[in-house]
Amino acid sequence: MSEGEDLEEKKLLGSGGYAFAKLREQEEIKASLGVPHIFLGNIARLNEDRFTKYYCNRCTKEYAGSPFISHENPNEELGEDVILIEKGEYKCRTCSNIIAQYRKFNK
Ligand SMILES: [Zn+2]
């Protein structure tokens, strides 16, 4: 990260809740895809220390800190030179409800 770069706290939507995290402008642009909402699944893996809090739909409760992040690197060939590099999940630390899932491809 370059010096003096602004991190702004944003709400990131997931299928099972939402989270608040500090994002760089470039990350925000990449994840919002031109719509007013930012989707956690489009952000891929964000370091836990960027999160300030999250909300779990199943617990109907807000928690401080980051959701639990699990990921794997299947390096699975999906054809036409597309490779699934990484897939992961953001989960509630209390009930393991999936807040959001993401997939990262080589292109
Ligand atoms: Zn929960």
Side-chain angles (χ1 to χ4, degrees):
M1 197 185 307
S2 62
E3 290 245 356
E5 195 169 8
D6 283 340
L7 288 169
E8 235 186 292
E9 191 177 32
K10 295 287 175 184
K11 185 178 183 177
L12 311 175
L13 302 178
S15 55
Y18 57 80
F20 281 86
K22 295 186 177 108
L23 294 186
R24 282 174 226 154
E25 202 183 344
Q26 275 310 314
E27 292 169 331
E28 186 189 331
I29 291 165
K30 217 176 119 192
S32 67
L33 305 172
V35 297
H37 305 293
I38 305 171
F39 297 98
L40 185 53
N42 291 336
I43 288 275
R45 186 148 47 96
L46 201 60
N47 210 309
E48 291 187 2
D49 63 18
R50 297 276 207 93
F51 289 88
T52 50
K53 58 188 175 183
Y54 72 94
Y55 179 87
C56 170
N57 283 353
R58 193 192 279 172
C59 298
T60 61
K61 212 175 149 182
E62 197 172 86
Y63 296 100
S66 81
F68 179 73
I69 306 165
S70 69
H71 74 280
E72 53 185 298
N73 300 93
N75 289 317
E76 191 184 325
E77 267 220 60
L78 304 176
E80 316 227 338
D81 296 324
V82 178
I83 298 164
L84 176 60
I85 298 170
E86 184 175 314
K87 57 179 180 180
E89 293 171 340
Y90 288 93
K91 287 183 183 174
C92 174
R93 290 183 187 275
T94 300
C95 74
S96 294
N97 174 41
I98 294 169
I99 310 284
Q101 289 176 304
Y102 69 86
R103 298 269 185 280
K104 209 168 133 187
F105 302 97
N106 61 327
K107 58 180 179 185

